[in-house]
Amino acid sequence: MGNLFGKKKVSRVTEHDKAVLQVKQQRDKLKQYQIKIEQKLENERLLAKKLLTSGQRERAKLLLKKKRYQENLLEKTDGQLENLEKMIQDLEFAQVEVKVVAGLKIGNEALKSLNEVLNIDEIERIMDETKEGIEKQKEINDLLNGKLTDEDEEDIEKEYNELLKLEEEEISKQLPEVPAIEPELPATDSVEKEKYKEKVNEKPKRIALEAA
Amino acid sequence: MKSEDWPWQHSFPPFFTVQPNLHTRSLQVSAWTSLVLKYHRICSQYVLDIQEAKSTLFTNPSIERTLSEEGINLVMSALVSSKNAEPIDKYRTRFYIYWHTLEEWAAILSSWATDSGHSGSVCTLYELINTPNQEFTGMHQEVLIKVIKVLEARNEAELILMDDNNGVKFF
């Protein structure tokens, strides 16, 4: 009753999926058949051994003949299994190809619609306008460069003069520093001598500790 | 199961008698549920038959002890509550045992499908059951169908049960 009013599930399983499933199912059945025959062969091999030990040679030979026939069938199923596997792979690859083609188609449609937007006449007009704009810009640049040249030169000379002054000041500052270095030297020497005395004093203490 | 797979309680006679102390009984039932799940995981079994289990899982011949009917009922009820078991029939003589809950199995299967590139493709149930080297290898088909139905509810798969073709499509 619920199904009458409720929405039915929209299946995402395609006919292609069902086809692949059927082929796979057939492959599975072949595999199971092979397992069955292999077990049968093993049983008959054991039975043949028993018959031989009990002296029934003719019966054993007949059984081995039957076994041989089963083995031939097994080889045939191997071939069939291989065919089925190949078909499954082909089906799956075909599905991939379908998706690739669909992708290309969509891309192609998108490309077409973009190309339609870009009209050739319109492009030429845009290019011409761009060209004119560039030419105008060049003229403006030329004019401005010519006028500003004199001003730029004056600014450059000012900066150059300022740099020269700064260098002279730096040179004069460095000169007085030289005498300051000399008085410090004896001070460092005395400090080093004091450190040496301390080290000498430490040694007797160590000797005393060792004696204790 | 090997002898070392049995827990120490299995050789302890009171383990097979329902304990009157409620706290002790709780511990006892918990140990039994762990044992049941472990047994089925190691033996790769998905169905527990009560009558059969009375002479295998629920008994220790070396100490001549078998879990009582009452004890078995307590254990099975606990397993059903934790969603690790489900009765197969109304007489509750046979149970599916889920050492992973169906939700956990669904996550395992979904993860495998993604990792092995099976998303967007169909597989037969036989193919899944015989996938080598997986935790779900050899899974009982009915249990597998239940697991796939969990995935179906999550829109991660769709079960395909046609006349002679049983399979699943992963998304």
Side-chain angles (χ1 to χ4, degrees):
Chain A
M1 287 298 294
N3 288 333
L4 292 178
F5 301 100
K7 294 179 181 177
K8 278 191 175 179
K9 264 191 180 180
V10 178
S11 175
R12 288 183 282 173
V13 174
T14 64
E15 290 301 319
H16 180 275
D17 290 329
K18 290 177 183 175
V20 172
L21 188 65
Q22 280 184 359
V23 179
K24 282 196 170 185
Q25 198 78 45
Q26 202 58 46
R27 173 201 62 184
D28 291 346
K29 284 182 178 177
L30 265 184
K31 284 184 177 178
Q32 292 174 61
Y33 176 72
Q34 283 186 334
I35 291 171
K36 192 171 83 172
I37 288 195
E38 280 167 1
Q39 285 174 359
K40 202 172 181 183
L41 289 174
E42 183 60 22
N43 290 338
E44 285 174 354
R45 190 178 297 115
L46 293 175
L47 186 56
K49 266 189 177 181
K50 274 188 179 180
L51 290 174
L52 280 176
T53 55
S54 64
Q56 305 180 51
R57 288 201 160 199
E58 287 304 317
R59 186 110 181 264
K61 187 178 285 185
L62 186 65
L63 202 59
L64 289 178
K65 194 178 292 183
K66 185 182 172 187
K67 175 171 158 291
R68 184 61 187 167
Y69 178 74
Q70 298 277 14
E71 282 172 349
N72 289 338
L73 287 183
L74 204 57
E75 285 176 13
K76 286 182 181 177
T77 56
D78 271 335
Q80 289 172 11
L81 197 57
E82 191 175 332
N83 286 339
L84 284 171
E85 294 281 10
K86 188 169 183 296
M87 177 169 280
I88 289 169
Q89 284 162 25
D90 288 347
L91 278 165
E92 288 180 345
F93 185 68
Q95 196 168 37
V96 172
E97 278 182 334
V98 165
K99 288 179 179 176
V100 168
V101 170
L104 287 175
K105 191 175 181 182
I106 292 170
N108 199 36
E109 294 294 333
L111 194 61
K112 276 185 180 179
S113 62
L114 285 174
N115 283 337
E116 285 173 4
V117 171
L118 300 175
N119 189 12
I120 292 176
D121 292 339
E122 195 168 338
I123 291 170
E124 285 183 354
R125 185 172 58 79
I126 292 169
M127 292 301 290
D128 289 342
E129 289 177 1
T130 304
K131 214 173 200 179
E132 290 176 8
I134 291 170
E135 287 174 353
K136 284 185 180 179
Q137 189 64 33
K138 281 184 180 178
E139 290 177 4
I140 292 168
N141 285 342
D142 291 342
L143 289 174
L144 289 175
N145 284 338
K147 289 183 180 179
L148 291 171
T149 300
D150 293 339
E151 292 180 18
D152 286 338
E153 285 180 1
E154 289 176 8
D155 289 337
I156 289 167
E157 286 179 1
K158 285 180 182 179
E159 286 185 24
Y160 180 73
N161 291 332
E162 287 175 2
L163 284 172
L164 287 175
K165 289 178 183 178
L166 287 172
E167 285 184 5
E168 287 173 358
E169 288 175 2
E170 285 178 2
I171 290 167
S172 63
K173 284 179 181 178
Q174 287 176 0
L175 291 174
E177 288 177 4
V178 173
I181 295 168
E182 290 179 359
E184 290 176 2
L185 287 174
T188 57
D189 288 342
S190 62
V191 169
E192 287 179 358
K193 286 177 182 177
E194 288 174 1
K195 287 180 181 177
Y196 181 75
K197 287 176 183 177
E198 288 176 0
K199 288 179 181 177
V200 172
N201 291 334
E202 286 176 359
K203 287 181 180 179
K205 291 180 180 178
R206 291 181 183 175
I207 294 168
L209 288 172
E210 288 174 0
Chain B
M1 282 200 354
K2 304 167 190 170
S3 56
E4 60 265 27
D5 289 323
W6 298 99
W8 66 268
Q9 296 98 326
H10 194 250
S11 303
F12 186 50
F15 188 54
F16 295 85
T17 305
V18 178
Q19 297 299 304
N21 180 279
L22 291 186
H23 179 62
T24 307
R25 180 184 297 187
S26 174
L27 293 177
Q28 179 190 25
V29 170
S30 177
W32 267 112
T33 56
S34 293
L35 174 51
V36 170
L37 295 180
K38 182 180 185 183
Y39 180 90
H40 284 79
R41 186 180 77 251
I42 290 176
C43 300
S44 273
Q45 285 183 27
Y46 292 84
V47 174
L48 184 154
D49 184 289
I50 298 293
Q51 293 306 317
E52 187 180 328
K54 282 179 179 177
S55 58
T56 54
L57 171 55
F58 291 130
T59 195
N60 186 347
S62 66
I63 60 170
E64 296 179 7
R65 289 289 191 169
T66 301
L67 186 60
S68 64
E69 197 81 31
E70 181 192 5
I72 293 174
N73 286 337
L74 281 174
V75 173
M76 297 315 298
S77 294
L79 285 167
V80 171
S81 294
S82 62
K83 299 194 188 296
N84 289 109
E86 182 180 357
I88 295 176
D89 55 38
K90 61 180 182 179
Y91 305 106
R92 299 174 77 91
T93 58
R94 301 177 79 244
F95 292 79
Y96 290 121
I97 299 295
Y98 310 134
W99 64 83
H100 285 300
T101 63
L102 291 179
E103 298 286 330
E104 290 166 1
W105 275 125
I108 290 169
L109 190 59
S110 175
S111 180
W112 169 82
T114 302
D115 293 347
S116 59
H118 280 85
S119 299
S121 63
V122 289
C123 302
T124 61
L125 299 188
Y126 178 89
E127 183 180 357
L128 291 179
I129 290 168
N130 290 275
T131 305
N133 304 321
Q134 295 298 320
E135 208 168 354
F136 57 82
T137 305
M139 180 180 273
H140 191 281
Q141 175 156 315
E142 291 303 318
V143 174
L144 179 59
I145 290 174
K146 289 173 188 289
V147 171
I148 292 170
K149 282 179 177 174
V150 172
L151 288 175
E152 212 168 27
R154 301 179 185 173
N155 289 315
E156 292 185 36
E158 186 170 333
L159 195 56
I160 308 167
L161 297 175
M162 303 185 293
D163 316 329
D164 202 23
N165 298 289
N166 295 329
V168 55
K169 183 176 185 182
F170 295 104
F171 301 116

